[in-house]
Amino acid sequence: MNWKKWSLLLALVFAMSIFLAACGGDDSETSNEGGDDTNTAEEGNSGEEGDSGETALAADQTFNVNIKTEPPSLHPGKASDTTSSAVLDQIFEGLTRINQDGEPENAMASDIQTSEDLKTYTFTIRDGATWSNGDPVTAQDFEYAWKWVLNPESPDTDYAYQLYPIKNAEKAKAGDVPLDEVGITAKDDKTLVVELEQPTPYFLQLTAFHTYYPVNKKAVEGNDEWATDVSESYVTNGPFTMESWAHKDQIVLKKNPDYWDAENVKLETINMFMVEDENTELQMYKNGELDWAGSPTGSIPLAAIPSLKEDGSLNISPKAGIYYYSFNNEVKPFNNVNIRKAFALAINRQGIVDSITKGEQQPAMALVPPSIFEENKEGYFKDNNVEKAKELLKKGMEEEGIDELPVIKVTYNTDEGHAAIAQAIQDMWRENLGVEVELNNEEWNVFLDTMGEGNYQVGRMGWIADFNDAINFLEIFQTVGGNNYTNWENEEYAELLKKSRTETDPAARREILREAEALFMEEMPLAPIYFYTNLWLNKDYVKNIEVSPMGSFNLKWGYIAEH
């Protein structure tokens, strides 16, 4: 393929799309960049002044932001995507909350005690912690919420494995032990005791994650549909409450006056728009209809990135996340490891980040981002190794007894960037491997169903870190199901992850996890493409909002300065 010719054509197409959008002629639908895409990075310039009191607050504390699409679920125990978590993080709160420095701090818990063996945590629920309906937040609410996720009969709990550090949690989810034997006990209204399987150094990061949020047992018990709309049952405990939810249009959040730390919450209203087209989002930002555009909830049009970088308005920071193509290991020809490797090696990642994404992303030849494993700047294989790819493809086809590959279908959720990458890879595979590739784009919720049901051959996917540890990337693929859309699993791999969880020496644990990643890359159940960056624009008057390397933000501390 003539890469320069292709990229020039792409640039012309994008330039025309922006022109059409500006004229109101492009009404195409796009979708969420991250999806399952759910710690020390450069700070965005929105937080440089901090909340020092030196900048006067504007009279109108309204923050307007785009979240692109309808959140698939606003049930903390069911949510498994970045759009849903972006909303949940503002309206719910766990025992801890990740602060502006990326560290967990006490939130619903006023005190946390740890046993000498680091396996038992005792959380004291703070006085004055209430639900939005006035009920007190209790230890029983946490016990109920967590055990609901671990109940084998609870549907759509893809993130249940986040609770598996807790004693007997995994066994309970498998139906091997009753929920009563799980190490989650509300001693009284104010005291929650949690027993772990083994010391877990990142456990207080987990308790800030949305799967660990409480739900109001009294309000939701017996009501399976409580999280589908704003109603008396939709009771929250975070810095903001949900005033309205116009599906596929807009969510409006309001400051929660009864929140325990309300005096430090400055924003009064957050308008979350669901505008799927990146060009429309950028135009709304330029028109003053949005105060923020791009990461972590929206996206910047690809064609606009160079000019925004040049004029200095674009913020770029590292992001602990990976963009990849998932192979369905249960369907031919991707049941064959050599064929999977051939398709992975026949991708020109450097060309993609230089000519398409243009946001300082890094080519990925590994699974775990270099911010966690520095060695992964180089990775496990050579990028764009076409000759090796051809050798592997020939070997794999001989093993399968086939002379010709079938048409390969690449499925992705509708988005300008995903489409551009899919078109580039379509050309690469056609030229480098001689295979015909069909492209299939789907709306976000339909796409998630397609991937989850295994009705695909190759699927666009991404993963953004939930917490700053390599195991967060590796454990996804421990077993089939949940967020593992590859349908690949490996007993030796699972044993290495299990071993890592009982290893208390950090260096030894790191080596175990590196060994697991090496095994994973040798099996190549997916093709890594690039490591993410955060790309966003914010108005100068938006203060104290930091974009996390985990691809999220906390609006609790944000405010609008006088302007």
Side-chain angles (χ1 to χ4, degrees), residues 14-153:
F14 285 163
M16 183 59 70
S17 72
I18 283 204
F19 172 76
L20 289 172
C23 298
D26 184 358
D27 194 30
S28 60
E29 293 189 356
T30 59
S31 189
N32 177 293
E33 171 203 350
D36 272 2
D37 288 354
T38 77
N39 195 348
T40 308
E42 300 169 11
E43 294 185 351
N45 65 11
S46 60
E48 287 176 358
E49 289 188 52
D51 194 357
S52 62
E54 296 175 4
T55 304
L57 295 178
D60 184 4
Q61 289 296 310
T62 301
F63 179 67
N64 298 304
V65 66
N66 184 32
I67 61 171
K68 295 196 72 172
T69 187
E70 175 81 2
S73 178
L74 290 184
H75 185 313
K78 292 184 177 184
S80 63
D81 67 291
T82 54
T83 303
S84 300
S85 64
V87 182
L88 291 169
D89 289 347
Q90 320 313 323
I91 58 179
F92 281 88
E93 184 165 86
L95 295 163
T96 55
R97 177 177 283 273
I98 303 298
N99 63 24
Q100 299 286 67
D101 296 321
E103 299 296 330
E105 64 181 27
N106 289 8
M108 283 291 104
S110 59
D111 183 68
I112 303 171
Q113 297 294 323
T114 312
S115 62
E116 285 189 20
D117 64 2
L118 304 179
K119 290 171 64 174
T120 302
Y121 286 73
T122 303
F123 298 92
T124 301
I125 309 301
R126 70 172 61 250
D127 293 333
T130 62
W131 291 100
S132 53
N133 66 353
D135 291 345
V137 176
T138 67
Q140 288 88 347
D141 291 329
F142 282 92
E143 180 179 17
Y144 172 80
W146 298 5
K147 287 185 175 178
W148 182 89
V149 175
L150 294 173
N151 189 329
E153 297 181 6

Side-chain angles (χ1 to χ4, degrees), residues 8 99 122 199 222 234 258 270 283 287 343 355 363 382 449 453 482 556:
L8 176 60
N99 63 24
T122 303
Y234 201 81
D258 299 320
I270 300 169
Q283 195 59 50
N287 293 345
F343 276 75
S355 299
K382 181 183 174 184
D449 288 341
E453 292 166 6
K556 169 181 175 175

